[in-house]
Amino acid sequence: MKLLALDSEDLTVISAMCQDSLLKLGDIQYLPREKRLLVAMNRFAWDADLARQQKNERRRSVLALSRVEALQARNINQENKDIVLSLLAIRFEPAAEPAGTVILEFSGGAALAAKAECIEAQLTDLGAAWSTDNRPQHDLD
């Protein structure tokens, strides 16, 4: 799968595809000279026909954000590159059009805020899926 987002509506689709992705802090690369943020993750395949397949799948994927001018972290211990983060959502907070901040929200109140010139995001699956016994569940109370 390959998805491209150029507006907040497109970014909502990518957010849905990335919900419950697992990654290590070391899987995040910010390249300031290139104005790029790369996030490698083990994406839970919500897009797979889980009812028909009767199995849960994950896929290795990369989220690439372009035109990133600055990156800030909240509630993330940046010393521990092996810490596992669970991505809950990706959202956009507009500023002076078309600029704004792309926010990656993780469980436990952790977040990354990428100040960007505009929305330019790409989600790419890198290979075959693998089975997992663990299906993410959310308490809706």
Side-chain angles (χ1 to χ4, degrees):
M1 177 179 63
K2 220 180 224 193
L3 296 175
L4 178 66
L6 298 174
D7 60 30
S8 58
E9 192 173 310
D10 294 341
L11 194 61
T12 300
V13 174
I14 287 180
S15 177
M17 293 296 107
C18 290
Q19 181 180 350
D20 298 310
S21 291
L22 299 174
L23 59 127
K24 291 184 179 181
L25 183 60
D27 291 332
I28 300 169
Q29 289 187 317
Y30 176 47
L31 308 169
R33 287 186 182 170
E34 296 176 29
K35 293 187 172 186
R36 256 171 104 68
L37 175 64
L38 302 172
V39 182
M41 63 187 80
N42 294 336
R43 183 178 72 79
F44 188 82
W46 290 110
D47 51 314
D49 186 354
L50 301 177
R52 183 177 55 90
Q53 294 179 3
Q54 297 182 339
K55 63 180 180 177
N56 302 313
E57 295 179 347
R58 286 202 178 268
R59 297 177 182 271
R60 191 68 175 163
S61 303
V62 172
L63 173 67
L65 299 177
S66 300
R67 300 180 181 230
V68 175
E69 298 174 326
L71 183 66
Q72 293 182 314
R74 181 185 72 212
N75 295 332
I76 297 175
N77 177 359
Q78 296 182 38
E79 300 297 317
N80 184 358
K81 299 297 182 193
D82 289 327
I83 190 167
V84 176
L85 300 169
S86 177
L87 183 59
L88 299 177
I90 303 168
R91 61 186 176 84
F92 183 70
E93 288 184 357
E97 292 290 335
T101 303
V102 177
I103 300 172
L104 284 75
E105 296 177 339
F106 301 97
S107 61
L112 287 176
K115 183 179 174 187
E117 297 170 10
C118 62
I119 295 174
E120 192 173 313
Q122 183 175 333
L123 177 66
T124 305
D125 287 346
L126 299 179
W130 66 91
S131 295
T132 179
D133 293 332
N134 300 318
R135 181 183 177 94
Q137 295 182 2
H138 298 277
D139 189 11
L140 300 176
D141 289 346

